[in-house]
Amino acid sequence: MPANNNTPLLTIFLLFLGLLRFDSFPGLQAATGKLASVPGLYVFGDSLVDAGNNNYLPISISKSNYPHNGIDFPNKKPTGRFCNGKNAADAIAEKFGLPLPPPYLSLRGLLERETRKSAAVTGVNFASGGAGIFNGSDQKLGQAIPLSKQVNNWLSIHKDLSTQLGPSEAQAHLSKSLFTVVIGSNDLFDYFGSFKLRQQSNPQQYTQLMADKLKDQLKRIHDSDARRFLIIGVGQIGCTPGKRAKDSTIHECDEDANMWCSLYNDALVKMLQQLKQELQGSMTYTYFDNFKSLEDIISNPAPYGFADVTSACCGNGGELNADLPCLPLAKLCSDRSKYLFWDRYGHPTEAAARTIVDLMLSDDSHYSSPITLTQLVST
């Protein structure tokens, strides 16, 4: 249809360019989602939500950019996600109609300048496999990006966004965006495996230190205009295939490990309540009880669509297919949608990640407090 006389030719030209370069208009991508109240998604954490940052760490061996990882990702591509397909961060982005947040380290360099500008608006993934709240030995040896460094990387994106949109508009944009934090498991694994750490502090002291250290980092994120937080608790890491396989008779969960997870989650919940008070209500958050959600799925898997909630889908045989990690020559389960766990470490399959995200977005507040994620993004 020809343009009328009131339509400037420049507008038509810009619209034409927008059709050619759809990714240069992030708002168009976001418009397809169900919950358009979230303009950006910024992700911090560990391998549960890493989108490939560790691919760019030159000496890290904590990578998953090889088969069978990614076998169900578009084009069967191993992207660095510790999963057969998309992870929970991807599923959250899709629920809100946002592009999958790219790994921060993929946005460096002159050739990535335009991609970085677009991602700064719609969301970036800072997570790193093996990362912890503390700067543990893995991080010090260049194996992962600890949370404090992830926040440094976020501050770099925040600076870009403020320059791109202007300080006032950037502040308004970020106040409506969602900041997701999924971390803590590796700190607990470090505690289990370190006699020195267990000598220095008992489980209650250690988990309280975890919560206190996380509080410091959440404050830094908040001080850079973040207002809405999704904080995901630690799951039942005592029930991962690798932990169960150590009990070679009946494959029971490691209840000591689960107890320490509960101690940390309790400290985390109290810390979040205190932090909101300290910030005088300028921070809103939902805490998702990942421990309870996994406990319910494991105790009654059928309603969730799972047939196996103990074995690793991808592994090298042995007890629960959990003797070795998911390597290119690993034994792969035939129906990934029926398995809760992707590998011996307890990374969820794509089906499991989507199930957990559905529980996050449920109107039922059984797993979420003090409000649900749906209520959070509507505030």
Side-chain angles (χ1 to χ4, degrees):
M1 183 175 70
N4 61 42
N5 292 333
N6 295 323
T7 306
L9 291 175
L10 178 59
T11 302
I12 298 172
F13 178 67
L14 290 174
L15 286 171
F16 177 69
L17 286 179
L19 292 172
L20 290 178
R21 276 296 312 277
F22 187 77
D23 65 337
S24 66
F25 290 85
L28 292 177
Q29 296 178 345
T32 62
K34 297 177 182 178
L35 299 167
S37 56
V38 175
L41 174 64
Y42 305 90
V43 182
F44 305 82
D46 53 31
S47 55
L48 293 172
V49 286
D50 185 358
N53 276 304
N54 282 15
N55 296 351
Y56 300 88
L57 300 179
I59 62 172
S60 176
I61 59 171
S62 182
K63 296 179 181 179
S64 57
N65 55 346
Y66 51 81
H68 297 290
N69 297 297
I71 191 170
D72 296 311
F73 199 82
N75 300 318
K76 298 186 180 296
K77 183 179 180 181
T79 59
R81 290 166 172 83
F82 294 77
C83 185
N84 59 302
K86 295 175 182 176
N87 62 29
D90 301 320
I92 293 169
E94 289 182 341
K95 289 290 186 182
F96 291 111
L98 291 166
L100 305 188
Y104 169 80
L105 293 183
S106 72
L107 302 174
R108 299 179 300 176
L110 292 175
L111 294 177
E112 303 300 329
R113 183 175 295 171
E114 290 304 312
T115 304
R116 182 179 171 113
K117 286 173 65 176
S118 178
V121 176
T122 58
V124 178
N125 190 316
F126 304 94
S128 170
I133 298 169
F134 297 128
N135 294 1
S137 58
D138 280 354
Q139 289 95 71
K140 290 174 183 174
L141 295 172
Q143 299 298 302
I145 308 165
L147 182 59
S148 59
K149 181 64 182 299
Q150 292 181 33
V151 177
N152 290 347
N153 292 340
W154 151 245
L155 294 177
S156 174
I157 289 292
H158 177 264
K159 182 178 179 181
D160 291 351
L161 191 63
S162 296
T163 300
Q164 186 177 335
L165 300 181
S168 179
E169 189 175 340
Q171 186 177 36
H173 173 83
L174 293 173
S175 71
K176 299 173 185 175
S177 295
L178 183 63
F179 291 77
T180 299
V181 182
V182 187
I183 204 161
S185 296
N186 291 311
D187 300 284
L188 291 171
F189 280 127
D190 284 348
Y191 186 76
F192 305 155
S194 171
F195 178 71
K196 182 180 179 181
L197 284 177
R198 294 198 303 275
Q199 274 191 319
Q200 290 173 345
S201 55
N202 63 37
Q204 289 88 348
Q205 293 168 332
Y206 184 80
T207 52
Q208 185 60 54
L209 285 170
M210 287 173 60
D212 292 343
K213 188 74 170 180
L214 177 59
K215 183 181 181 181
D216 293 340
Q217 299 308 320
L218 292 178
K219 280 183 176 178
R220 293 179 67 205
I221 300 171
H222 170 271
D223 290 347
S224 54
D225 301 324
R227 294 297 179 263
R228 294 173 171 174
F229 290 82
L230 166 61
I231 310 295
I232 300 175
V234 171
Q236 288 191 311
I237 61 179
C239 294
T240 62
K243 285 288 186 184
R244 283 184 185 265
K246 291 181 179 179
D247 179 352
S248 58
T249 53
I250 53 176
H251 300 145
E252 289 285 351
C253 298
D254 182 335
E255 292 305 333
D256 282 342
N258 283 343
M259 178 195 70
W260 293 333
C261 295
S262 293
L263 284 174
Y264 169 66
N265 287 334
D266 290 344
L268 174 58
V269 168
K270 290 175 185 175
M271 177 274 285
L272 290 170
Q273 293 168 348
Q274 293 166 356
L275 180 58
K276 184 172 182 178
Q277 275 191 324
E278 289 176 20
L279 297 174
Q280 300 179 336
S282 62
M283 165 195 180
T284 56
Y285 73 90
T286 181
Y287 165 78
F288 181 76
D289 191 343
N290 200 27
F291 188 99
K292 177 62 175 169
S293 69
L294 285 174
E295 183 178 51
D296 288 350
I297 292 170
I298 289 169
S299 64
N300 188 22
Y304 301 94
F306 298 111
D308 191 318
V309 293
T310 59
S311 305
C313 172
C314 182
N316 275 45
E319 298 286 337
L320 302 179
N321 199 29
D323 274 5
L324 292 171
C326 180
L327 299 169
L329 297 178
K331 178 184 174 184
L332 189 64
C333 67
S334 57
D335 189 350
R336 272 100 50 195
S337 69
K338 299 297 183 185
Y339 277 68
L340 178 64
F341 296 116
W342 170 237
D343 58 17
R344 72 185 307 272
Y345 302 111
H347 296 114
T349 60
E350 178 176 338
R354 291 190 181 280
T355 296
I356 292 167
V357 170
D358 284 342
L359 292 175
M360 289 180 196
L361 287 164
S362 169
D363 290 332
D364 183 358
S365 60
H366 188 54
Y367 303 113
S368 300
S369 64
I371 57 177
T372 67
L373 178 55
T374 304
Q375 291 168 334
L376 175 71
V377 299
S378 301
T379 56

